[in-house]
Amino acid sequence: MAAWRERLAGVRGVLLDISGVLYDGGAGGGVPIAGSVEAVARLKHSRLKMRLCTNESQRSRGELVGLRRLGFDVSEAEVTAPAPAACQILRARGLRPHLLIHEGVRSEFDQIDTSNPNCVVIADAAEEFSYQNMNKAFQVLMELENPVLISLGKGRYYKETSGLMLDVGAYMKALEYACGIEAEVVGKPSPEFFKSALQEMGVEAHQAIMIGDDIVGDVGGAQRCGMRALQVRTGKFRPSDEHHPEVQADGYVDNLAEAVDLLLKHAD
Amino acid sequence: MAAWRERLAGVRGVLLDISGVLYDGGAGGGVPIAGSVEAVARLKHSRLKMRLCTNESQRSRGELVGLRRLGFDVSEAEVTAPAPAACQILRARGLRPHLLIHEGVRSEFDQIDTSNPNCVVIADAAEEFSYQNMNKAFQVLMELENPVLISLGKGRYYKETSGLMLDVGAYMKALEYACGIEAEVVGKPSPEFFKSALQEMGVEAHQAIMIGDDIVGDVGGAQRCGMRALQVRTGKFRPSDEHHPEVQADGYVDNLAEAVDLLLKHAD
């Protein structure tokens, strides 16, 4: 593999995944990953541009700033997240969603008309993915002539302090199969979603690098948009990811701190 | 389409799906579909052989005989169901399952060693498909070097008196996607499962006809085994099934009573 200098040449903007890169979620708000608080601070005070690009859909952007309680110096304005992107789509297409989402993100949909639903929106709903709630979403879809299912991300799983947890993608697949439809994904790895994060950061894809713990959603998704991507060996990283049959990261690093070291040394 | 006489010539054995053909499930044990009690009785007293071939995996064979309470003259010995077939597989391969199943079918697995699981078995668990239970099954699979997921059927949905309900297939797909694996299906439309029902009935595939409400699992599955198959317009039948892109039944009938009328008139 080429030297880091070559692999990181010309990088001007850095997209960071949050869960599994900045912190591991869990009871009491989770715990920061060692060195990540300082790494974010160093990045923000560097010449590189930084933006958080997350599929987090359990909590609203406002609450994401609970990251600050963990010591991260980040603001709501620095976050690209699927819920506001979905709201734009719903408004633009006159869609009235039945929401199968976590209570923590419901406030993001406060201004959306949810009467007489003509689509279903699912997010990482965790405990709210009960049989009853899944069945209700299924029944809404089956009664629509042209069923529309919008999924905030299609992640397989994420890591909490207590272990790996099923993510929205698994439940998206359940509804796709049951209804014989294909969901529209808002979030990584949707190209539109990455592009909006790039636009907000003001850099071109070839000048940007994604740092994530998800080999398919973060790394593969970013690469398909023309970005470079590093995988951290934290969060849901598994050793088999380094031999993934389809996706090869531009580099593997132990954690965000190592990624930032390398970027500050070799990028731009 | 050919005349019924031609389509039913040479039929000597009849496989009946249960849910949606004999009765619609629901609170209090469900309700028989009009004319089905008498249709089963007429079939049993005819020269045709009859066997129930079900993916029912919420209730044990013992309880299936609760069908008798609805007026059906059937015995446990006349039923081919996935749970006992799965037990045979588990024993033959030395598999110790983590069970994500409905309480009503747990007794079928009484003799199976479930210590230190090296596979997961899922069935139509209904309310027990909680996020917590799904996550537990997912975590068991992710910790296995060679994860084995056995699914009792892969139905998309079934019909209860209260409406369409998600079936085990949707949850099978969720786990397949999350773990990056493919489940082994025990039940319709698995050819082995149909063949064991034929063997128990003692007729060849070309002498048998399946009657079901599931265009893919019942009709398509039976046809792929060399049987003929009729779809009833009861249970989860939907008008679009008559124009299914892949499966065309050998005939569509309003209900089991009409199917039995035709069989008694034209078969054998």
Side-chain angles (χ1 to χ4, degrees):
Chain A
M1 196 173 256
W4 282 108
R5 200 173 52 181
E6 203 172 314
R7 283 184 270 163
L8 301 178
V11 166
R12 292 188 46 221
V14 185
L15 290 178
L16 300 185
D17 180 36
I18 295 179
S19 174
V21 176
L22 269 51
Y23 79 111
D24 280 324
V31 292
I33 289 168
S36 289
V37 170
E38 298 75 16
V40 168
R42 291 166 64 204
L43 204 48
K44 284 193 68 160
H45 292 95
S46 76
R47 287 180 306 175
L48 296 171
K49 295 192 176 181
M50 185 203 86
R51 190 160 183 88
L52 305 176
C53 183
T54 178
N55 271 7
E56 172 73 67
S57 64
Q58 261 198 38
R59 301 184 292 179
S60 67
R61 277 181 300 172
E63 280 187 285
L64 264 177
V65 176
L67 279 172
R68 283 209 290 259
R69 279 194 294 274
L70 296 177
F72 291 97
D73 174 23
V74 293
S75 70
E76 188 175 329
E78 293 173 300
V79 179
T80 302
C87 287
Q88 283 188 355
I89 291 171
L90 294 169
R91 281 195 205 95
R93 288 161 56 185
L95 291 170
R96 299 178 306 275
H98 169 81
L99 298 168
L100 175 44
I101 62 177
H102 198 277
E103 276 310 309
V105 79
R106 196 166 292 271
S107 63
E108 295 267 0
F109 294 87
D110 273 352
Q111 306 303 316
I112 300 289
D113 178 9
T114 56
S115 64
N116 188 24
N118 58 5
C119 78
V120 167
V121 169
I122 62 169
D124 172 21
E127 296 74 17
E128 296 180 51
F129 278 132
S130 64
Y131 183 71
Q132 196 185 5
N133 287 346
M134 278 291 285
N135 224 37
K136 177 63 190 166
F138 162 70
Q139 289 174 344
V140 168
L141 287 168
M142 291 296 274
E143 289 193 357
L144 294 172
E145 197 173 344
N146 296 303
V148 172
L149 172 61
I150 294 176
S151 185
L152 303 200
K154 61 175 199 178
R156 294 159 186 253
Y157 52 85
Y158 53 91
K159 190 177 176 191
E160 294 218 329
T161 46
S162 59
L164 300 181
M165 308 291 284
L166 284 170
D167 200 357
V168 62
Y171 288 90
M172 175 193 90
K173 286 290 173 188
L175 291 174
E176 284 186 339
Y177 177 74
C179 303
I181 60 174
E182 196 169 330
E184 301 176 27
V185 177
V186 178
K188 298 176 287 185
S190 148
E192 291 74 20
F193 190 71
F194 279 117
K195 281 172 197 161
S196 68
L198 286 173
Q199 200 166 30
E200 286 156 351
M201 191 163 51
V203 304
E204 301 288 324
H206 72 273
Q207 303 170 311
I209 194 160
M210 172 83 211
I211 301 175
D213 66 335
D214 186 321
I215 185 70
V216 174
D218 293 331
V219 174
Q223 289 176 334
R224 271 202 308 282
C225 288
M227 283 183 257
R228 281 164 273 184
L230 305 180
Q231 188 179 20
V232 288
R233 296 192 186 96
T234 55
K236 68 181 152 187
F237 167 82
R238 292 159 69 89
S240 60
D241 290 347
E242 297 196 35
H243 313 283
H244 193 276
E246 283 138 40
V247 183
Q248 176 75 33
D250 293 279
Y252 298 86
V253 290
D254 283 344
N255 47 43
L256 180 62
E258 187 187 351
V260 170
D261 281 347
L262 290 163
L263 282 163
L264 296 185
K265 199 165 166 193
H266 300 296
D268 206 0
Chain B
M1 195 173 255
W4 281 108
R5 199 173 55 182
E6 204 171 311
R7 283 183 269 164
L8 301 178
V11 166
R12 291 187 47 221
V14 184
L15 289 179
L16 300 184
D17 179 35
I18 294 179
S19 173
V21 176
L22 268 54
Y23 79 112
D24 280 323
V31 293
I33 289 167
S36 289
V37 169
E38 300 74 16
V40 169
R42 290 164 65 204
L43 204 48
K44 285 193 69 159
H45 292 97
S46 76
R47 287 179 307 174
L48 296 171
K49 296 191 177 182
M50 183 204 86
R51 188 157 187 89
L52 306 176
C53 183
T54 178
N55 271 9
E56 172 75 65
S57 64
Q58 261 199 37
R59 301 184 292 181
S60 68
R61 277 180 301 174
E63 279 185 284
L64 264 177
V65 175
L67 279 173
R68 282 209 289 260
R69 279 193 295 274
L70 295 178
F72 291 97
D73 174 23
V74 293
S75 71
E76 187 175 330
E78 292 172 301
V79 179
T80 302
C87 288
Q88 283 186 356
I89 290 170
L90 294 170
R91 280 195 207 92
R93 289 163 52 186
L95 291 171
R96 300 178 306 277
H98 169 80
L99 298 169
L100 175 44
I101 62 177
H102 199 277
E103 277 310 309
V105 79
R106 198 165 290 273
S107 63
E108 295 268 359
F109 294 88
D110 274 352
Q111 305 304 313
I112 299 289
D113 179 7
T114 56
S115 63
N116 189 22
N118 57 6
C119 78
V120 167
V121 169
I122 62 169
D124 172 21
E127 295 75 17
E128 297 180 50
F129 279 132
S130 64
Y131 183 72
Q132 196 184 8
N133 287 345
M134 278 293 283
N135 224 37
K136 177 66 191 164
F138 161 70
Q139 290 174 343
V140 168
L141 287 167
M142 290 297 274
E143 289 193 356
L144 295 171
E145 197 172 346
N146 297 303
V148 172
L149 171 62
I150 294 176
S151 184
L152 303 199
K154 60 174 199 178
R156 294 160 186 253
Y157 54 85
Y158 53 90
K159 190 179 178 186
E160 293 219 328
T161 45
S162 58
L164 299 181
M165 308 291 283
L166 284 169
D167 200 357
V168 63
Y171 288 90
M172 175 191 90
K173 287 290 174 187
L175 291 174
E176 284 186 338
Y177 176 73
C179 304
I181 60 175
E182 196 168 332
E184 301 177 27
V185 177
V186 178
K188 298 176 284 185
S190 148
E192 292 74 21
F193 189 72
F194 278 117
K195 280 172 197 161
S196 69
L198 285 173
Q199 200 166 29
E200 287 156 351
M201 190 163 54
V203 304
E204 302 287 327
H206 71 273
Q207 302 169 313
I209 195 161
M210 173 82 212
I211 302 174
D213 66 335
D214 186 321
I215 186 70
V216 174
D218 292 332
V219 173
Q223 287 175 335
R224 272 201 308 282
C225 287
M227 286 184 254
R228 281 163 275 185
L230 305 181
Q231 188 179 20
V232 289
R233 296 191 186 96
T234 56
K236 67 181 153 188
F237 167 83
R238 292 160 68 89
S240 60
D241 291 347
E242 297 197 34
H243 312 282
H244 192 277
E246 283 138 41
V247 183
Q248 176 74 34
D250 293 280
Y252 298 87
V253 291
D254 283 344
N255 48 42
L256 180 62
E258 186 186 351
V260 170
D261 282 346
L262 289 163
L263 282 162
L264 296 183
K265 197 164 167 195
H266 299 296
D268 207 359

